[in-house]
């Protein structure tokens, strides 16, 4: 097993047990009741006890032994620099559609880490393939009941999945699903459709196989997202992939909708859902809000546009005024894939007297895509499309374009750098409320 590093603390929450004891950012936990935590899962499990003995390394390198008595499951109030205190479980597949392999060289190293770690899947909903797990990790999933996990299936036929993942262990997927089923553990599945490889009859077989695991009071396969392959100009030439055309998108929509009608009759649920991108590529209307049920695949782009529109309408009814006192003009940058879908939002914002919002719906020259989702727009794309234009007071920038927790685009340009080159302010916004408040508050007035 790779060496376990002390769990480095980055934040001590005010009025918490840790704050009362005197923990500080920079301290690190070496062991809890004699056990070094491998990750955030271990930390939470070990800290659930009422009596704790912590071995702590302070910022100067001095070791302390601290005893704590607390309520069962009471949180200590600590945050860490990473969820994993040992090594990331990396992916040894060679999927031709892997986004990491479709990036240019020379960017920050974190962009090239191929995560296939079940712990990040359990904690944050990232997808893994199950092909890189040693036996001891399977035992840990079982012992700690780490469910649900999020699994990239792509195909259930062994030869098709091996062709896609370029890994002979990929053939074991149905046996692995039976393993989850026997232990009453759940997964959410993802199928990235690559035209000519796992579409058509293969896609039908995959969806039928996956939904066969939806039976019982604890369905093994809780949901399935069907996602179109995304390609960039940096991908390997020999990858045998072709982009999804408008016609192919329309074909897949019709095929999956036909199957989900059948699933709904059998299970009382769609079980499988199409990512929003299919409808954007096909030029078709998004499904109604009711079709998404409880939005089980929202983080996979399934229903995210419909939910955003609903949240905007609900929040705008409460927050959006009829007029603002000081006139304001802003430029809202989005991917061109959502240009049509977001027109109702644009209309509502511009109905506010004194507020002028212009939408710039961009495709990504950086990635070489004619249709781009908002999250893939880069600093390069902003400079290419917006330089020399009247941007008003500044740019409304969806935070999905930025690296999590940092003001950095996927092409490594910083927000500050782009703002300087465009000679304008940039206002990163996340969610509906922040979007509306940034539009109507005086802090960004002309």
């Amino acid at each position: 097993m790779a060496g376990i590093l002390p769990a480095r603390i980055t934040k001590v929450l005010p009025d918490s047990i840790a704050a009362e004891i005197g923990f500080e950012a920079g301290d690190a936990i070496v062991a809890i009741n004699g056990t070094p935590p491998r990750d955030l899962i271990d930390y939470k499990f070990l800290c659930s006890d009422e009596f704790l003995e912590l071995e702590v390394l302070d910022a100067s390198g001095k070791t302390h032994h601290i005893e704590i008595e607390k309520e069962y499951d009471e949180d200590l109030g600590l945050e860490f620099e990473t969820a994993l205190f040992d090594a990331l479980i990396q992916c040894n597949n060679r999927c031709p559609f892997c986004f990491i392999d479709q990036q240019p060289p020379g960017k920050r190293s974190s962009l090239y880490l191929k995560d296939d770690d079940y712990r990040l899947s359990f904690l944050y909903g990232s997808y893994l393939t199950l092909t890189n797990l040693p036996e001891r990790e399977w035992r840990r999933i079982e012992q700690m009941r780490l469910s649900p996990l999020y699994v990239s299936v792509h195909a259930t036929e062994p030869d098709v999945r091996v062709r896609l993942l370029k890994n002979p262990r990929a053939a074991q997927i149905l046996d692995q699903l039976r393993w989850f089923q026997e232990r009453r553990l759940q997964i959410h599945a993802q199928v990235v459709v690559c035209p000519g490889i796992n579409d058509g009859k293969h896609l039908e077989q995959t969806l039928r196989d996956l939904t066969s695991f939806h039976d019982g009071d604890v369905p093994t396969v809780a949901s399935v997202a069907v996602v179109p392959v995304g390609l960039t100009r940096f991908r390997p030439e020999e990858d045998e992939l072709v982009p999804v055309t408008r016609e192919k998108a329309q074909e897949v929509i019709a095929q999956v909708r036909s199957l989900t009608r059948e699933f709904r009759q059998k299970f009382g649920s769609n079980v499988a859902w199409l990512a929003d991108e299919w409808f954007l590529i096909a030029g078709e209307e998004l499904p109604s809000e009711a079709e998404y049920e409880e939005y089980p695949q929202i983080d996979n782009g399934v229903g995210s546009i419909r939910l955003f529109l609903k949240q905007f309408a609900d929040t705008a009814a409460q927050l959006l005024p009829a007029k603002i006192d000081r006139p304001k003009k802003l430029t809202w940058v989005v991917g061109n894939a959502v240009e049509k879908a977001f027109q109702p939002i644009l209309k509502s914002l511009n109905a506010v007297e004194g507020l002028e919002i212009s939408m710039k719906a961009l495709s990504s020259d950086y990635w070489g895509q004619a249709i781009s989702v908002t999250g893939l727009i880069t600093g390069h794309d902003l400079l290419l499309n917006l330089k020399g234009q009247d941007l008003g007071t500044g740019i409304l920038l969806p935070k999905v374009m930025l690296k999590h927790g940092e003001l950095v685009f996927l092409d490594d340009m910083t927000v500050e750098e782009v703002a300087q080159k465009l000679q304008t302010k940039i206002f990163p916004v996340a969610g509906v409320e922040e979007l509306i408040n940034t539009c109507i508050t005086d802090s960004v007035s002309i």
Side-chain angles (χ1 to χ4, degrees), residues 85-350:
F85 314 141
D86 60 1
L88 178 77
I89 299 174
Q90 295 200 49
C91 185
N92 62 5
N93 303 316
R94 299 191 309 281
C95 308
F97 49 84
C98 177
F99 188 76
I100 290 167
D101 291 336
Q102 294 192 63
Q103 299 180 101
K107 301 299 178 184
R108 60 180 181 271
S109 59
S110 61
L111 289 175
Y112 306 105
L113 281 177
K114 287 191 179 183
D115 149 35
D116 204 24
D117 202 307
Y118 68 96
R119 298 169 297 174
L120 297 181
S121 183
F122 174 71
L123 289 167
Y124 305 122
S126 58
Y127 278 84
L128 77 159
T129 64
L130 302 175
T131 60
N132 297 286
L133 290 183
E135 182 57 36
R136 62 183 168 82
E137 306 297 3
W138 284 100
R139 287 197 300 270
R140 189 177 184 224
I141 291 169
E142 178 179 11
Q143 288 162 0
M144 299 190 79
R145 309 290 300 167
L146 301 182
S147 171
L149 297 182
Y150 293 76
V151 179
S152 287
V153 174
H154 308 319
T156 51
E157 295 164 279
D159 58 330
V160 180
R161 194 166 191 256
V162 168
R163 180 183 174 189
L164 281 167
L165 272 60
K166 306 288 192 290
N167 184 336
R169 287 198 296 276
Q172 300 167 6
I173 186 63
L174 288 175
D175 288 337
Q176 290 166 339
L177 291 177
R178 283 187 277 271
W179 183 92
F180 281 93
Q181 186 176 50
E182 287 162 8
R183 288 154 182 82
R184 292 170 64 83
L185 299 173
Q186 288 188 298
I187 73 154
H188 292 278
Q190 169 181 256
V191 178
V192 173
V193 175
C194 302
I197 301 177
N198 65 337
D199 57 345
K201 64 180 183 181
H202 303 298
L203 177 58
E204 178 174 351
Q205 184 66 52
T206 296
L207 294 180
R208 290 195 182 282
D209 284 343
L210 288 174
T211 52
S212 73
F213 288 92
H214 191 74
D215 270 334
D217 57 331
V218 182
T220 304
V221 175
S223 71
V224 185
V226 181
V227 182
V229 65
L231 304 178
T232 83
R233 64 187 176 91
F234 301 108
R235 75 182 200 271
E237 290 180 9
E238 68 283 358
D239 65 10
E240 69 176 342
L241 298 178
V242 295
V244 173
T245 62
R246 181 173 180 147
E247 292 72 30
K248 172 57 69 174
Q250 291 169 340
E251 174 195 312
V252 171
I253 289 169
Q255 179 187 17
V256 173
R257 280 187 150 170
S258 173
L259 288 166
T260 55
R261 279 194 293 272
E262 184 183 321
F263 300 153
R264 200 158 50 243
Q265 284 188 327
K266 184 175 181 182
F267 302 110
S269 167
N270 279 21
V271 189
W273 284 270
L274 291 149
D276 295 356
E277 282 179 73
W278 290 109
F279 300 95
L280 302 175
I281 295 169
E284 294 188 10
E285 283 295 314
L286 291 162
S288 68
E289 190 187 328
E291 287 187 57
Y292 291 111
E293 297 172 25
E294 300 299 315
Y295 293 96
Q297 290 270 2
I298 189 72
D299 291 335
N300 214 356
V302 177
S304 54
I305 294 175
R306 183 61 71 196
L307 184 60
F308 192 83
L309 291 169
K310 178 186 186 302
Q311 289 172 338
F312 180 87
D314 292 346
T315 308
Q318 297 174 349
L319 295 183
L320 211 57
K323 62 178 290 186
I324 53 176
D325 295 331
R326 299 173 65 191
K328 187 180 303 174
K329 179 181 177 183
L330 292 163
T331 300
W332 184 23
V333 178
V334 296
N336 66 346
V338 297
E339 181 176 16
K340 181 181 175 186
F342 280 2
Q343 290 304 311
I345 295 177
L346 191 64
K347 186 177 178 182
S348 292
L349 292 172
N350 282 317

